[in-house]
Amino acid sequence: MTIQATVLAPVYPSMRPEELGRSLREAGYDIELVENHNRPTYRMLSEPQFMIRLLGALEKRPGEYHSISVWSFVAVSPAVLAEVLHRTKWTNMFALLLAQRSGQLLVTHDILIGGGITAHHLKHQLQFWRSDLARVLQVVRDSQGQSEGWRLN
């Protein structure tokens, strides 16, 4: 058994939007800050694109939040929606897929900050998320027989 030394890292019991942005940039993400439903939201500029924002404002700590929401809307032909849901149901580690009336597929994942999170943990959660999203996008492409079967909205 190999024992590894403990690395001291800041633990965030909650986060502010600027802390989330800094953590994302330090993890190597190319992002831009946008407004989404009057909340600061980050859009990933590299592929696969997705959105990320803080949720759960804390009453006693204005400007701080207790969770993170990551999502992407994927355009899916109604003819293959059931197939996509079936093929991805058991392969996703964290992503939740929800069919929308608009014919799009919402691929989402929430990350709880409450209790404490490190930048390292956030980076790994996002790697799992990106892996799930890439898998969903590949299934959509395969099912629709297209090279570009999705878009971010």
Side-chain angles (χ1 to χ4, degrees):
M1 173 193 294
T2 303
I3 298 176
Q4 193 172 19
T6 300
V7 177
L8 296 178
V11 175
Y12 298 97
S14 59
M15 281 190 135
R16 295 179 172 279
E18 56 275 8
E19 292 169 330
L20 175 60
R22 185 178 60 248
S23 293
L24 292 170
R25 285 183 191 92
E26 288 174 358
Y29 289 99
D30 186 17
I31 58 173
E32 71 175 337
L33 182 62
V34 297
E35 286 291 319
N36 184 283
H37 298 284
N38 297 320
R39 289 193 233 167
T41 302
Y42 291 97
R43 180 190 343 253
M44 298 302 141
L45 300 175
S46 57
E47 300 295 333
Q49 291 184 343
F50 57 91
M51 307 290 276
I52 182 169
R53 78 167 162 223
L54 294 164
L55 296 176
L58 299 172
E59 289 181 26
K60 295 184 180 184
R61 294 196 301 258
E64 295 185 25
Y65 299 82
H66 67 71
S67 61
I68 298 169
S69 180
V70 185
W71 77 94
S72 181
F73 283 99
V74 179
V76 178
S77 166
V80 297
L81 181 59
E83 176 187 348
V84 169
L85 289 170
H86 177 73
R87 287 182 54 196
T88 57
K89 182 178 184 177
W90 302 109
T91 60
N92 291 328
M93 184 174 287
F94 293 105
L96 174 65
L97 281 65
L98 302 167
Q100 304 293 293
R101 288 186 178 170
S102 64
Q104 295 182 329
L105 186 61
L106 171 61
V107 185
T108 185
H109 172 54
D110 292 332
I111 302 168
L112 182 64
I113 301 169
I117 188 171
T118 64
H120 186 74
H121 181 75
L122 175 59
K123 179 180 176 179
H124 282 280
Q125 287 290 307
L126 290 173
Q127 286 173 342
F128 292 137
W129 154 254
R130 287 185 66 174
S131 176
D132 279 355
L133 179 58
R135 190 175 308 107
V136 169
L137 294 173
Q138 187 60 53
V139 168
V140 168
R141 286 183 192 111
D142 292 348
S143 298
Q144 294 186 153
Q146 301 175 11
S147 61
E148 289 297 321
W150 67 279
R151 68 178 182 273
L152 176 68
N153 292 327

